[in-house]
Amino acid sequence: MTAVTATSDAPVLLDLPPLDAARFARIEDKVAALMRTRSDVVATQGEALLPLEACIRSAVPPGSTALNIITGPYGETFGGWLRSCGAEVVTITAPFTGAVAPEQVAEALRAHPEIDFVSLVHAEAATGNTNPVAEIGAVVREHGALLMLDAVASVGAEPLLTDEWGVDLCVIGGQKALAGPAGVSAVSVSARAWERIAANEQAPRRSYLSLLDWKERWIDGGRTALPHAPAQLEMLALEQAVDRVEAEGLDAVITRHRAAAAAVRAGVAVLGGPVPYVIRHEDAAPAATTLRAPVGVDAREVVSAALAADSSVPVQAAAGALAEEMIRVNHYGRAADRAVVLAALAALATGLRALGVDVDEHAADAAAGAAWDEALAAA
């Protein structure tokens, strides 16, 4: 029986029964079903950057050539890891206002036939764009390269068909659309990827970054003995998040996220002041909408004023070079909710008005509500 001990701050779970290998394996199987893959899935004990780096360091040997597609900050991070592995890196950089086109990928692969690894982010919550993975995957598969996909911000918010799209290494996390924990993540590894990793003499061994350790000590042994003590609170939270998605229905969860994105964009279109940062609707990520602040207005001041009006809304300023111009409205997980979206728009309207921007809050509310209803009706 689970004991709960109250502290001055919050309840703390104590004396949990051990998470055995069979339960750990069942959770991995649930994640595999969510990812629509029959490949091996390994749940890794850390935030998703851990398996993302593990994939690159495992599958990219020195002297190889990789194609890195950048549509946001995570793609930039991958380039650094690829170079530190000793790879020659070919880069495609798409404007953060849109997505990369499959034709750009095909052109890069024709120009560099030696490319044998492609890294791609499905959706960038930080910049609010999403990429056409199905079409890009077909191009990469025809070329014969491995495809690594960061699906942390897309899983649960939009379709993720790992096997159908030919994704060899697919990484997810639970903290966004799944409304789960940040401290555990998962990666699916295709048979082709395992072959490439096994052939890489520089692939990490005896390391948290080692996928080979998991294969040899966990998968090859029939998943009967865990190689180390699992982070059981995070694993149980991940299981509950996946179970909750299954109970609601994955299609319904995806519809909620699409409705939230459509509502924010529709509301902003008539609010006055900010405009969507991602130009085309089809390039906009369902997990988060980014907005360009009005000319002459600092996005950080807009966010501060909006949060002063309602501190509960999921609105934030961008980081780094985009901080002055980009406002981000997160609508993933439990925030993919009509009331939350309308509250976020209302708070933005109040904040903008406080900064002297002329806005039409009532028109924004009506447009957002209508877009939400239309998205649900179309599902």
Side-chain angles (χ1 to χ4, degrees):
M1 181 176 180
T2 301
V4 179
T5 301
T7 70
S8 59
D9 297 319
V12 178
L13 291 172
L14 300 174
D15 302 327
L16 283 173
L19 183 66
D20 61 21
R23 182 71 175 275
F24 196 100
R26 285 199 301 273
I27 296 171
E28 288 182 334
D29 291 343
K30 290 180 179 182
V31 171
L34 176 69
M35 297 171 68
R36 301 296 190 260
T37 182
R38 295 179 179 271
S39 295
D40 295 325
V41 168
V42 175
T44 52
Q45 311 295 287
E47 200 270 337
L49 282 173
L50 187 150
L52 286 166
E53 184 175 0
C55 287
I56 288 175
R57 298 203 180 279
S58 296
V60 180
S64 62
T65 303
L67 173 63
N68 185 42
I69 301 168
I70 299 177
T71 54
Y74 287 101
E76 294 173 342
T77 297
F78 299 163
W81 289 338
L82 289 164
R83 292 182 183 88
S84 71
C85 289
E88 182 73 24
V89 180
V90 177
T91 302
I92 295 175
T93 302
F96 293 173
T97 54
V100 68
E103 294 77 15
Q104 292 176 273
V105 178
E107 182 180 351
L109 294 174
R110 284 193 298 269
H112 300 275
E114 70 277 15
I115 289 172
D116 59 10
F117 184 92
V118 178
S119 50
L120 173 68
V121 178
H122 189 178
E124 289 265 12
T127 45
N129 52 22
T130 190
N131 289 299
V133 181
E135 293 82 358
I136 293 172
V139 171
V140 174
R141 187 165 57 249
E142 182 179 359
H143 180 80
L146 290 185
L147 176 60
M148 183 194 84
L149 185 68
D150 173 349
V152 175
S154 60
V155 62
E158 54 190 300
L160 174 62
L161 306 176
T162 303
D163 289 354
E164 183 177 323
W165 294 346
V167 179
D168 294 288
L169 295 157
C170 186
V171 173
I172 70 162
Q175 71 269 31
K176 286 188 165 48
L178 303 184
V184 65
S185 45
V187 53
S188 66
V189 187
S190 72
R192 286 198 327 140
W194 281 131
E195 291 177 5
R196 188 77 60 86
I197 292 168
N200 180 14
E201 295 182 357
Q202 299 302 313
R205 303 298 295 264
R206 303 296 180 264
S207 164
Y208 263 101
L209 293 175
S210 177
L211 296 178
L212 283 174
D213 286 358
W214 277 102
K215 186 176 189 304
E216 294 174 0
R217 300 173 62 191
W218 172 241
I219 295 170
D220 291 348
R223 300 192 300 174
T224 57
L226 285 163
H228 57 71
Q232 62 186 37
L233 288 177
E234 288 79 4
M235 284 295 293
L236 293 174
L238 177 63
E239 181 180 34
Q240 289 187 11
V242 175
D243 286 347
R244 187 164 57 186
V245 168
E246 183 179 5
E248 182 179 352
L250 179 58
D251 288 344
V253 176
I254 289 173
T255 296
R256 272 198 297 110
H257 285 81
R258 285 176 168 166
V264 172
R265 289 178 70 88
V268 167
V270 297
L271 176 63
V275 296
Y277 200 89
V278 176
I279 298 168
R280 302 194 312 164
H281 294 300
E282 56 266 43
D283 296 337
T289 297
T290 49
L291 308 173
R292 191 184 297 276
V295 176
V297 179
D298 192 315
R300 293 167 294 189
E301 293 182 3
V302 176
V303 170
S304 179
L307 293 176
D310 184 350
S311 62
S312 70
V313 296
V315 175
Q316 67 181 87
L322 298 175
E324 291 186 17
E325 63 178 286
M326 182 183 284
I327 303 162
R328 176 172 152 189
V329 181
N330 297 319
H331 37 72
Y332 51 73
R334 311 317 290 173
D337 176 87
R338 180 185 178 123
V340 173
V341 167
L342 296 181
L345 287 169
L348 280 172
T350 301
L352 288 162
R353 191 179 298 112
L355 296 173
V357 180
D358 187 22
V359 295
D360 191 339
E361 179 180 344
H362 297 296
D365 185 85
W372 182 282
D373 294 340
E374 184 179 346
L376 292 187

